[in-house]
């Protein structure tokens, strides 16, 4: 590849990352792959080798939020306060905040994602029912290796103004984080104390 062709590919890659970030922020698309495919289609790019990595899109999303979204700090603060109240409700299950609310890239459309640890998911459903919280039960696949996925029980519901997804891992699952869909590294997880420290900063 010539230097000019390489520069063009890099410019297209950045343009796709920027457009994918805009799509995620403005249209509420949560899936990185879907966002980058929509961005590539809009820009007329058919070469999959040019598509940016998820981490590049996350960086573009952070920049766009700082530059164009004056409400971002308020939105993120609201999401984190809701996440803290939720985690306190499930304190006995060692809750851990994960995803965009923790990383700071959450948009107005983002869910609050929490991992909790219990060997019987029925305890979580019972606790939600006792609180009068209508919820849907499902499954969430988490990745641990390049080709190893494990499905866990999940619960989705609305807390205040925010959508929530709780994933119930076994009690010993606290020892190993699944891989992040953004950069394929062990997923960052924050305890109640860690979230409180983050919110004070």
């Amino acid at each position: 590849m010539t230097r000019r062709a390489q520069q063009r590919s890099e410019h297209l890659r950045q343009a796709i990352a920027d457009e994918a970030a805009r799509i995620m922020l403005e249209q509420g698309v949560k899936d990185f792959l879907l966002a980058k495919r929509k961005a590539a289609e809009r820009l007329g790019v058919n070469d999959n080798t040019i598509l940016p990595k998820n981490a590049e899109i996350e960086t573009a999303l952070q920049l766009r939020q700082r530059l164009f979204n004056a409400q971002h700090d308020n939105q993120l603060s609201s999401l984190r306060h809701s996440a803290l109240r939720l985690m306190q409700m499930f304190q006995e299950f060692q809750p851990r905040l994960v995803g965009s609310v923790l990383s700071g890239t959450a948009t107005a459309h983002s869910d609050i994602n929490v991992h909790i640890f219990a060997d019987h998911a029925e305890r979580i459903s019972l606790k939600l029912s006792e609180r009068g919280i209508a919820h849907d039960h499902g499954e969430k696949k988490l990745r641990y290796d390049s080709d190893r996925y494990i499905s866990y029980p999940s619960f989705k519901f609305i807390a205040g103004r925010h959508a929530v997804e709780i994933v119930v891992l076994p009690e010993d699952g606290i020892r190993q984080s699944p891989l992040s869909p953004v950069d394929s590294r062990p997923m960052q997880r924050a305890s109640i104390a860690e979230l409180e420290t983050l919110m004070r900063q």
Side-chain angles (χ1 to χ4, degrees):
M1 181 183 293
T2 66
R3 182 174 179 79
R4 178 173 292 182
Q6 185 176 0
Q7 288 177 334
R8 182 177 182 276
S9 293
E10 288 174 0
H11 286 312
L12 276 174
R13 184 185 187 93
Q14 185 59 54
I16 294 170
D18 291 341
E19 177 62 14
R22 185 194 67 77
I23 289 169
M24 295 182 81
L25 187 61
E26 295 179 5
Q27 298 180 16
V29 174
K30 299 171 185 176
D31 182 80
F32 282 94
L33 181 58
L34 177 59
K36 72 177 77 173
R37 284 180 173 167
K38 281 189 166 193
E41 181 180 355
R42 186 175 181 280
L43 296 173
V45 177
N46 299 314
D47 185 356
N48 287 337
T49 63
I50 296 177
L51 295 182
K53 295 180 179 178
N54 292 349
E56 293 174 271
I57 297 173
E58 185 175 63
T59 298
L61 183 59
Q62 289 170 331
L63 179 60
R64 181 171 283 272
Q65 286 170 323
R66 286 197 298 268
L67 292 176
F68 302 116
N69 190 358
Q71 295 300 314
H72 174 65
D73 287 348
N74 291 335
Q75 291 171 352
L76 184 59
S77 178
S78 175
L79 284 160
R80 285 177 171 171
H81 275 93
S82 291
L84 180 60
R85 288 193 297 272
L86 175 72
M87 292 168 72
Q88 289 167 338
M89 185 172 83
F90 288 97
Q91 188 165 4
E92 64 192 284
F93 301 106
Q94 304 181 78
R96 297 293 188 269
L97 179 65
V98 300
S100 62
V101 177
L102 175 59
S103 71
T105 58
T107 72
H109 310 281
S110 295
D111 295 347
I112 296 171
N113 300 109
V114 175
H115 291 177
I116 60 177
F117 303 89
D119 287 334
H120 301 287
E122 294 81 6
R123 295 174 64 191
I124 312 307
S125 182
L126 180 60
K127 193 174 187 75
L128 289 168
S129 296
E130 287 173 347
R131 295 291 185 110
I133 300 173
H135 56 279
D136 295 322
H137 180 269
E139 286 191 343
K140 177 80 170 183
K141 281 187 178 180
L142 299 177
R143 185 163 68 99
Y144 286 87
D145 293 312
S146 58
D147 58 355
R148 183 167 70 98
Y149 291 80
I150 300 178
S151 293
Y152 296 106
S154 68
F155 298 93
K156 292 185 177 183
F157 53 94
I158 301 297
R161 297 180 290 116
H162 304 300
V164 175
E165 182 179 45
I166 286 179
V167 179
V168 186
L169 291 83
E171 290 181 4
D172 62 2
I174 201 166
R175 297 185 194 138
Q176 181 185 8
S177 290
L179 300 183
S180 166
V182 176
D183 57 13
S184 296
R185 295 177 181 174
M187 192 179 289
Q188 289 186 320
R189 301 194 289 198
S191 65
I192 290 174
E194 290 166 336
L195 177 57
E196 287 174 332
T197 298
L198 181 62
M199 291 168 65
R200 285 195 297 268
Q201 292 175 352

